[in-house]
Amino acid sequence: MKLAAIDIGSNAARLQISTVLHNDDLVSFKRVEYVRFPLRLGHDVFNYGALTPESEARTTKLMQAYKLLMELHEVEGYMACATSAMRESSNGQEVAKRIEDVTGIKIHIIDGRKEAELINDVVVHALDDRQYLHIDVGGGSTELNVYVNRIKINSKSFKIGSVRLLEGKEQKGAWRKIEDWVEDNIDSFQEVTAVGTGGNISKLFNLASKTSETETSRSEIERIRDFIAGFSQEDRINKLRLNADRADVIVPAADIYISVMKWAGASKIIVPDLGLKDGIIQQVYAQVKKRK
């Protein structure tokens, strides 16, 4: 059985197709297709408050392409979710409806709480009984979740993200709100380890020296951030071989991860290869299983 997830973010839209594997009673998912395209919907929404006709046309074309890929893979179930940019757009719901009329793909515009819940469903498997602060930085929002004993104690979505920072459109007082929330929700008498998800932390982690297969230090993330910041946009693309839509947002994203870790007193960060798309796949599997 193959299932698919479409994640339409503020910076890029992703399609992931996974095969369901059964090993006795253990169910797992193996990625067989992954496509990422930089739509940059956040540029429209954070500057003008709405999606432009050009962005709608590009998104429609991309959904048509994703639909063809899903048909070729004979996907049995899928879900498309849109996050910060589309949910803040004044015409987000109308655009989603028009795209559905053309492509047949229904786009679910989810709120920050649902977004965090879907990511939580997969991230929790990478944790043990210690205290963790999960940081998920997207293009338009940052989701924070505190875990103790693999139980989510609290969570909050903030209107600050890599594209929003790049455009200078972060919510007024957002940095202070995050700092206060972290101070109120982290037990300073207990060691805390950060967990990072999102495309930017994955790229930073790939470039960093690691203390284990999934872990590195805050100081190493800071070093990589400063290293990248020392290059021009053009050199980040040509010399560091970063995608153009990653090259300009990776430093603002790093600033969020580093700041949150400092406020929490976290010196280490775990970066599992997981994200919203994996949570969507898991939910689709539950729905398909229920239908059968």
Side-chain angles (χ1 to χ4, degrees):
M1 185 199 311
K2 289 182 184 177
L3 307 173
I6 298 174
D7 167 13
I8 305 170
S10 301
N11 190 31
R14 303 162 183 84
L15 166 70
Q16 179 169 308
I17 298 174
S18 297
T19 298
V20 182
L21 303 177
H22 297 274
N23 185 1
D24 295 327
D25 293 333
L26 183 66
V27 176
S28 60
F29 307 95
K30 180 182 178 183
R31 183 189 302 177
V32 294
E33 185 78 72
Y34 177 73
V35 183
R36 177 184 180 276
F37 187 84
L39 284 173
R40 278 287 165 96
L41 301 183
H43 173 77
D44 289 356
V45 178
F46 306 146
N47 282 290
Y48 316 120
L51 294 166
T52 62
E54 292 78 14
S55 285
E56 179 178 342
R58 279 155 52 87
T59 306
T60 302
K61 284 182 181 178
L62 187 62
M63 292 305 107
Q64 288 172 322
Y66 284 176
K67 185 178 183 182
L68 286 172
L69 271 173
M70 290 193 292
E71 288 175 356
L72 285 167
H73 277 279
E74 298 180 347
V75 162
E76 291 190 36
Y78 78 92
M79 179 181 286
C81 293
T83 55
S84 182
M86 198 168 270
R87 71 176 169 243
E88 288 183 41
S89 174
S90 61
N91 61 348
Q93 293 288 352
E94 300 109 77
V95 168
K97 182 65 173 66
R98 287 195 292 269
I99 290 172
E100 182 182 2
D101 290 343
V102 174
T103 67
I105 292 179
K106 179 176 177 59
I107 297 174
H108 301 266
I109 301 176
I110 59 174
D111 60 23
R113 185 174 292 275
K114 180 64 176 177
E115 184 178 353
E117 179 187 311
L118 287 167
I119 300 169
N120 165 72
D121 288 344
V122 289
V123 167
V124 71
H125 299 301
L127 310 181
D128 55 28
D129 59 358
R130 291 176 290 172
Q131 178 179 222
Y132 291 92
L133 175 59
H134 173 219
I135 311 164
D136 184 80
V137 177
S141 65
T142 293
E143 323 300 329
L144 299 182
N145 305 280
V146 178
Y147 298 87
V148 178
N149 294 323
R150 298 182 68 184
I151 297 170
K152 184 159 67 173
I153 304 300
N154 210 341
S155 66
K156 183 77 173 177
S157 179
F158 297 90
K159 287 188 178 182
I160 187 169
S162 59
V163 176
R164 205 188 288 268
L165 275 181
L166 185 69
E167 303 281 356
K169 301 296 181 180
E170 67 271 21
Q171 190 180 54
K172 188 177 179 181
W175 288 108
R176 184 56 188 268
K177 287 177 182 176
I178 295 178
E179 184 176 4
D180 289 346
W181 188 88
V182 169
E183 188 178 308
D184 290 343
N185 288 278
I186 293 294
D187 181 357
S188 58
F189 295 103
Q190 186 180 352
E191 183 185 9
V192 59
T193 300
V195 180
T197 54
N200 287 298
I201 194 64
S202 294
K203 178 56 70 175
L204 289 161
F205 183 73
N206 287 341
L207 296 170
S209 297
K210 302 162 184 65
T211 51
S212 76
E213 200 174 300
T214 58
E215 186 179 290
T216 190
S217 64
R218 184 180 79 213
S219 60
E220 183 61 12
I221 296 297
E222 290 171 340
R223 184 186 72 79
I224 294 297
R225 179 257 180 231
D226 292 343
F227 173 73
I228 295 171
F231 289 82
S232 67
Q233 171 78 0
E234 186 178 350
D235 284 346
R236 291 179 197 179
I237 295 167
N238 293 305
K239 294 183 179 179
L240 301 183
R241 304 178 71 85
L242 296 176
N243 291 337
D245 65 298
R246 179 77 67 208
D248 57 354
V249 296
I250 192 165
V251 171
D255 289 339
I256 299 174
Y257 287 104
I258 292 164
S259 296
V260 174
M261 289 180 72
K262 281 181 178 176
W263 294 328
S267 60
K268 297 180 293 186
I269 183 166
I270 293 170
V271 185
D273 186 20
L274 298 167
L276 177 60
K277 59 196 182 310
D278 303 284
I280 296 171
I281 290 277
Q282 199 160 282
Q283 179 156 316
V284 172
Y285 174 71
Q287 293 171 347
V288 170
K289 192 177 176 185
K290 192 175 180 181
R291 285 205 306 266
K292 289 190 174 184

